Amino acid sequence: MRVIIKKDYDDVTDWAATYIAYKINRARPTPEKPFVLGLPMGDTPKGMYKKLVELNHKGKLSFANVVIFCMNEFVGLGTKDSQSCHSYMNEHLLKHVDGKSSNVYILDGKTKNYEKECDNFELAIRQKGGIDLFVGGVGADGHIAFNEPFSSLSSHTRIKTLTTETMRIKAKLFDNDITKVPHTVLTVGIGTIMSAKEVLFLATGSSKADATKAAIEGSVNHRWAVSALQMHRHGIYLCDEEATSKLEGNTISYLKDIERNAY
């Protein structure tokens, strides 16, 4: 697992966007062989999406041959609900770039058959040849997508019950009324994410310090879903200095030294 420590949120999201653009451009995707990208919603990636839009508008990046799989959706929300993944992705990325709607896969929160919807999502990923790069934001409790603590590290796309704490955090999307937050979501699993060819996790701010410590210095365990990244052949943990505040000083020095000498 590669760990990259940047100064602050802006540096983290700028590096992430630049790296995504580099991977897409290097792949030289075509309609027959697109680049397959897994993307998250939430507060952390907003800066990354802003930078990706800028790169697209400058002609330095095209989404024309990029297939996008989004991590999750609230059960009960439709494409036009302002709190949905559909609305989030449209607002922050899709409506601003040259991607094709037919290349975007988002779970249907209105489905009447959750198991079939999730199975079809996994099937679509396989049919596209797998995810080339899966990007995820790290939750304060170490969750990735909506894989809460004690989720199976081999889990795949499924319906998942949210914890009260996660619902409290998401209440800001629902007029700060926790009673309006759906209790369940459809989400990719940790196994889904880890099956990608490359994985990039983003963690910023002091609230992510415990999760960062668990991800980097802790053991692989289902209490901290983020710790699964330690087992990935091409995993990157990208964080800012605030998120490293609970790491041992020697750990930080070691990680920064490695990056300083990286080829």
Side-chain angles (χ1 to χ4, degrees):
M1 181 177 72
R2 179 183 179 187
V3 179
I4 299 173
I5 302 171
K6 293 295 181 180
K7 180 181 178 182
D8 54 25
Y9 174 85
D10 288 340
D11 285 346
V12 165
T13 53
D14 183 77
W15 192 96
T18 302
Y19 188 73
I20 292 169
Y22 162 74
K23 296 296 290 190
I24 294 171
N25 289 333
R26 184 183 181 188
R28 297 181 179 178
T30 64
E32 296 72 29
K33 188 173 176 54
F35 187 89
V36 185
L37 183 62
L39 291 176
M41 56 186 293
D43 290 332
T44 303
K46 287 180 179 178
M48 177 187 78
Y49 290 135
K50 182 179 179 181
K51 179 66 174 180
L52 287 172
V53 170
E54 291 174 359
L55 291 172
N56 179 254
H57 290 180
K58 292 177 180 177
K60 297 181 178 180
L61 171 65
S62 173
F63 285 86
N65 295 315
V66 175
V67 171
I68 294 173
F69 284 89
C70 298
M71 280 188 157
N72 44 254
E73 183 59 282
F74 289 104
V75 167
L77 296 191
T79 59
K80 295 184 179 179
D81 287 307
S82 61
Q83 307 94 339
S84 69
C85 180
H86 286 81
S87 294
Y88 174 94
M89 292 304 298
N90 279 327
E91 178 65 27
H92 295 287
L93 181 67
L94 300 178
K95 74 178 184 181
H96 305 289
V97 298
D98 62 339
K100 303 171 184 175
S101 58
S102 59
N103 281 343
V104 179
Y105 293 79
I106 302 178
L107 289 154
D108 180 8
K110 287 283 192 179
T111 183
K112 301 299 182 183
N113 190 329
Y114 304 129
E115 184 175 355
K116 183 177 181 181
E117 176 69 13
C118 294
D119 287 347
N120 286 342
F121 196 77
E122 291 281 340
L123 177 61
I125 292 175
R126 293 194 297 272
Q127 290 175 335
K128 293 298 180 181
I131 305 286
D132 291 304
L133 173 62
F134 220 134
V135 183
V138 177
D141 58 3
H143 73 255
I144 299 295
F146 279 116
N147 294 284
E148 306 274 36
F150 306 107
S151 293
S152 169
L153 298 184
S154 63
S155 58
H156 291 88
T157 306
R158 67 208 187 284
I159 188 169
K160 187 75 175 62
T161 302
L162 298 181
T163 65
T164 301
E165 177 61 17
T166 297
M167 291 175 64
R168 184 190 65 77
I169 293 171
K170 296 302 179 182
K172 61 188 175 184
L173 301 175
F174 298 85
D175 303 320
N176 291 312
D177 184 351
I178 194 172
T179 65
K180 295 181 180 179
V181 182
H183 289 233
T184 52
V185 296
L186 301 180
T187 182
V188 297
I190 291 298
T192 311
I193 298 169
M194 291 300 121
S195 67
K197 298 177 182 70
E198 188 170 9
V199 179
L200 170 63
F201 287 166
L202 314 179
T204 59
S206 59
S207 66
K208 309 299 174 64
D210 286 327
T212 297
K213 185 173 180 64
I216 296 172
E217 294 180 335
S219 62
V220 177
N221 67 90
H222 66 177
R223 168 63 182 84
W224 297 95
V226 67
S227 68
L229 190 66
Q230 295 179 27
M231 302 296 290
H232 200 283
R233 288 183 62 192
H234 299 291
I236 301 175
Y237 194 91
L238 174 61
C239 57
D240 63 7
E241 291 183 353
E242 285 190 3
T244 67
S245 61
K246 293 189 177 182
L247 293 180
E248 297 291 335
N250 288 342
T251 299
I252 295 173
S253 297
Y254 176 81
L255 294 171
K256 286 187 174 180
D257 181 65
I258 290 176
E259 278 305 307
R260 192 179 302 117
N261 295 321
Y263 60 87

